[in-house]
Amino acid sequence: IRLEAVKSFLKQIELDTAKTLRENVIKNINYVATTIYNDAATSINISEYPIAIANFDKYKEVIRKIDSARTFNDLEIQLHSALGSIYMQIYENDREKNKEFFDKSRNSFLFVIELDSNNYTANYNMGILYYNEAVNIIKGLDYDLDLITLELIQEETVELFKKALPYMLKARDLNPKRKETLIGLSGICFSLNELEKSEEIENEIKLLDIKD
């Protein structure tokens, strides 16, 4: 119904050759767009996120009817940061059943980083995503694995820790005093057998605890 209303408003602009009503009509379209965006924002949760995505697309569609040059980078960052976290939660709830959500989460965070390479949250979550994947693989190991299979799994987890490292380093650079980042970075370094670096970071964490 709201989209039908927008069509009517646009027709009104078309018929208003004297442009006497254009300003008010534009305000009306913006108002409708805002209600659609608000619906998107309130649907950013684990059960309703598809509604949020659909409404966000409708919001952009409506705004571009009156401002074709409009960009939405800030809003895209907010949306995809939230979606990345939701997808990560869905994946962690059942890693076997929801395998595709690992990629969905990764792609959402990478999209945010593409728009803003200095986005702390996306860099931190990318590091955590790869780190958790490696840790979960290790936790799920059977004790009776043959050596060849064990070596292959070890290579896989090392590769995941290596993928996590640059993102967590970036997150540390962006927010060097956040304890959660340092804990994650220490764990990654330890898992990569960079024990001295891990110990240095542990000392940084201790200093933060003393200051707190």
Side-chain angles (χ1 to χ4, degrees), residues 10-199:
L10 291 171
K11 186 65 176 178
Q12 191 173 10
I13 291 174
E14 180 186 334
L15 296 173
D16 181 28
T17 55
K19 298 185 179 181
T20 56
L21 301 174
R22 180 180 176 83
E23 185 177 346
N24 284 333
V25 175
I26 294 294
K27 286 180 181 178
N28 287 334
I29 293 174
N30 272 313
Y31 172 76
V32 173
T34 299
T35 68
I36 296 172
Y37 176 79
N38 289 342
D39 283 350
T42 56
S43 302
I44 296 286
N45 57 64
I46 201 167
S47 59
E48 296 181 306
Y49 70 87
I51 298 172
I53 296 171
N55 276 325
F56 186 69
D57 287 341
K58 289 175 185 176
Y59 166 75
K60 291 190 293 182
E61 178 186 343
V62 170
I63 291 297
R64 283 175 176 149
K65 296 287 187 185
I66 55 176
D67 184 1
S68 60
R70 174 77 174 271
T71 59
F72 302 92
N73 285 3
D74 288 347
L75 298 180
E76 294 276 12
I77 287 170
Q78 292 176 30
L79 174 70
H80 287 278
S81 292
L83 287 175
S85 296
I86 289 170
Y87 295 149
M88 184 163 32
Q89 184 181 347
I90 293 172
Y91 175 66
E92 290 294 341
N93 285 344
D94 191 331
R95 295 172 62 246
E96 282 301 314
K97 180 182 176 183
N98 302 319
K99 286 182 179 180
E100 73 272 19
F101 283 90
F102 178 89
D103 289 338
K104 285 176 179 262
S105 181
R106 179 190 61 197
N107 292 341
S108 292
F109 294 135
L110 286 176
F111 181 73
V112 173
I113 291 170
E114 185 178 334
L115 293 177
D116 177 14
S117 61
N118 290 324
N119 186 280
Y120 167 81
T121 301
N123 278 284
Y124 173 77
N125 282 331
M126 278 295 294
I128 288 296
L129 187 67
Y130 284 125
Y131 176 79
N132 284 348
E133 181 70 358
V135 169
N136 285 327
I137 290 172
I138 293 168
K139 286 181 178 178
L141 287 176
D142 292 327
Y143 291 107
D144 57 350
L145 284 175
D146 61 85
L147 290 177
I148 294 175
T149 303
L150 188 63
E151 185 175 346
L152 290 173
I153 292 174
Q154 185 178 16
E155 289 176 0
E156 181 184 2
T157 55
V158 166
E159 187 63 27
L160 286 166
F161 286 128
K162 285 181 178 178
K163 287 181 178 180
L165 183 59
Y167 293 107
M168 199 61 79
L169 285 171
K170 180 71 172 181
R172 195 269 303 271
D173 290 342
L174 293 168
N175 195 344
K177 293 186 179 180
R178 188 172 181 201
K179 187 176 179 180
E180 290 85 349
T181 310
L182 295 176
I183 291 171
L185 187 56
S186 174
I188 293 168
C189 291
F190 184 85
S191 301
L192 290 172
N193 207 32
E194 297 180 5
L195 303 184
E196 288 186 13
K197 287 184 180 179
S198 179
E199 188 175 348

